[in-house]
Amino acid sequence: MARRQDGGPRAAMTASAVALMRERGVAATSFADVLAHSGAPRGSIYHHFPGGKSQLIEEATRSAAHQLTDRIQRILDSGDTVTAIRSIVDLWRRVLEATDYVAGCPIVAAALGTEASARDIAGVSFTRWTEMIGARLVGDGVDPARAATLATMLVSALEGGLILAQAQRSAAPLDAVVGELELLCRAAGAVTPTE
Amino acid sequence: MARRQDGGPRAAMTASAVALMRERGVAATSFADVLAHSGAPRGSIYHHFPGGKSQLIEEATRSAAHQLTDRIQRILDSGDTVTAIRSIVDLWRRVLEATDYVAGCPIVAAALGTEASARDIAGVSFTRWTEMIGARLVGDGVDPARAATLATMLVSALEGGLILAQAQRSAAPLDAVVGELELLCRAAGAVTPTE
DNA sequence: GTCTATACGAAGATAGAC
DNA sequence: GTCTATCTTCGTATAGAC
């Protein structure tokens, strides 16, 4: 009934735009690239995206933000924060290995890109993730007054570690970050799995 | 005597390239932009940079890396790690406020850019910073086995916090990160100023 | 909804005059 | 060492046919 998502060219194009943004950034992602990558018919660009590239990038960013937010929420729902951190890092690691360390976080690409609206969406996304993680930390026993700053630290360190991993073509920075974050969470009073 | 750095158009162009990379990334930084920003004579592009844009970006990245590395080293030499973190964040904060939150870290721009050689320089730069900070941590009393991962955490969290700050147009993420990093350093045994 | 053709400008790069 | 002119390619965007 209310299914108006269309799985056709439009969805394929936003998905491809996300993939290309992750690998080369917003500015270096062209329509021609998106068409080639998605296999979408050439004539449907401005039919589906009358706002041109701005609109495509904006919708791609929104799509990536929703997807990642959902994924993070599911991870947070299925365990404590420390376990969630490990899951997220495993996710990044798989992406890096599958793309020869070229693909990063699409939201970071949007944040550092040339499209103002996409940058704003990135900002909201980061805020959202921070709030979600903060709530999870409180549930784990962390002092609510502390949870917000700790959550910001988690997001920042994971995104930064991912960038170092891309630049060094190695997952080692992510491993270092996850270890330090675990220590920090435990010291802050978050429950930990006894494994 | 061995001063062969030239303060002319060439230096002005690399400096402008760095500034533009910080604001809009590597891909969106064109020769025309660099010329306009630096005021360099139009005819001197391929005279000074026969390798074209690749060479310009590579040299700009190298220049930015040297500058930042020197700056970090000086900061680390003048106090303990916790004090250094505050100084670095203050530096970022001034940059953000002076540029309406558009300018970020040039090395991150290089790491996520389209120029392979620049990305490699970024990777080496991050490694270098990590080693420098690690040495400082050891000097502060941190267990040498721990210093490397903690140093990686510092670099990752600061770079990530800077990106969140840019996206949210607020220095708040940096403040959160610096607070958490201080806790982590203290818990790791780094000496702290009694202030 | 999708096609081709095309306009228009920007960007990287080269040649040859001064 | 710097200039102008030019070439080519690419990218965005539009028009109009199918």
Side-chain angles (χ1 to χ4, degrees), chain A residues 97-164:
Chain A
E97 286 170 358
T99 63
D100 198 28
Y101 293 89
V102 298
C105 174
I107 305 306
V108 167
L112 302 182
T114 46
E115 221 58 53
S117 57
R119 192 185 69 160
D120 291 342
I121 294 170
V124 172
S125 229
F126 288 139
T127 300
R128 187 90 200 287
W129 299 351
T130 303
E131 290 169 351
M132 285 159 49
I133 294 172
R136 173 74 260 184
L137 283 167
V138 171
D140 290 346
V142 173
D143 175 22
R146 170 84 185 281
T149 65
L150 182 51
T152 301
M153 173 65 159
L154 291 182
V155 175
S156 297
L158 290 173
E159 292 289 17
L162 178 57
I163 291 171
L164 263 67

Side-chain angles (χ1 to χ4, degrees), chain A residues 119 127 146 149 169 180, chain B residues 119 146 149 168-169 180:
Chain A
R119 192 185 69 160
T127 300
R146 170 84 185 281
T149 65
R169 304 172 71 88
E180 294 292 331
Chain B
R119 191 185 70 161
R146 169 84 186 281
T149 64
Q168 300 179 348
R169 302 173 73 88
E180 295 292 330

